[in-house]
Amino acid sequence: MAGQEDWVSETMAKLSTLVTMPKNSEKFLRRPPVWFVHTVITEVMKATDFADGLYSDEECRSSYLVDRETKRRFVHKAVKCVSFALDEELDVSVSKVLAGLEGNKTSAFFLKLHHAAVTCSRARSADAVDRVRAWEATGDVEATDAATCSTAPSSPAGSALAKHNSRTRLNDAL
């Protein structure tokens, strides 16, 4: 239980430097509801201008999250953007975030979001947003494994390998 308290405390401490945490944040970090994830993502982005332009005004409203697909797309875009901005693969499952499972990994994602928001230059953030938009335009949003969110390497050969690996993980999950 002490290990769990450590990641909850660390996440609350880091996020509270950028946003006002709602009451019961400890409970929400252990099993984060989608509205809480949405609020953390949008508030961090507003406070720092990180990933400016990633979402439309409509997507930033909690009323946008009406069905599983819009929720999945919202979280997936944020994970991809942070991953691209930090140039590293993130160990977070979008489907488990949506289910409120693996709060420790969702909290780890929040810490990566915080890190990207406070350390990435405006140019790097803009590049990450452009890469997410390019990723969306290719239609890979639908083909990407919902269970694992990873970024493809920059090279075309690496990109093909990443697509293959992503589809392999998806097929293995089915």
Side-chain angles (χ1 to χ4, degrees):
M1 192 69 155
Q4 184 179 45
E5 294 303 316
D6 292 343
W7 61 260
V8 169
S9 298
E10 179 185 6
T11 305
M12 286 182 59
K14 291 275 187 178
L15 290 177
S16 65
T17 65
L18 299 177
V19 298
T20 302
M21 298 296 287
K23 291 181 181 181
N24 299 321
S25 291
E26 287 185 36
K27 173 183 146 186
F28 296 142
L29 284 169
R30 287 189 181 94
R31 189 173 168 96
V34 175
W35 69 264
F36 181 75
V37 174
H38 181 272
T39 299
V40 168
I41 292 168
T42 56
E43 291 300 314
V44 167
M45 290 178 175
K46 281 183 207 171
T48 63
D49 287 332
F50 173 74
D52 188 37
L54 179 63
Y55 297 111
S56 67
D57 288 342
E58 180 186 8
E59 289 173 307
C60 289
R61 289 188 210 102
S62 59
S63 60
Y64 171 77
L65 304 174
V66 295
D67 59 25
R68 183 156 179 81
E69 181 55 30
T70 57
K71 293 172 186 176
R72 186 190 66 77
R73 186 173 299 263
F74 182 88
V75 173
H76 213 155
K77 283 171 66 172
V79 170
K80 280 290 198 187
C81 190
V82 171
S83 184
F84 287 143
L86 297 176
D87 198 27
E88 65 181 80
E89 189 171 319
L90 302 180
D91 182 23
V92 64
S93 165
V94 172
S95 60
K96 290 186 179 179
V97 168
L98 295 177
L101 304 174
E102 296 184 345
N104 60 327
K105 290 187 178 183
T106 303
S107 285
F109 163 69
F110 288 156
L111 292 175
K112 293 290 186 178
L113 171 63
H114 176 274
H115 179 69
V118 299
T119 64
C120 289
S121 67
R122 187 173 293 271
R124 188 166 184 102
S125 175
D127 180 60
V129 169
D130 290 344
R131 289 178 68 189
V132 171
R133 287 189 177 148
W135 166 75
E136 280 186 301
T138 64
D140 278 352
V141 176
E142 305 308 322
T144 303
D145 178 8
T148 306
C149 195
S150 61
T151 59
S154 298
S155 72
S159 180
L161 178 61
K163 284 182 185 176
H164 169 75
N165 289 342
S166 177
R167 288 189 181 114
T168 300
R169 284 191 301 268
L170 179 60
N171 291 336
D172 290 345
L174 298 175

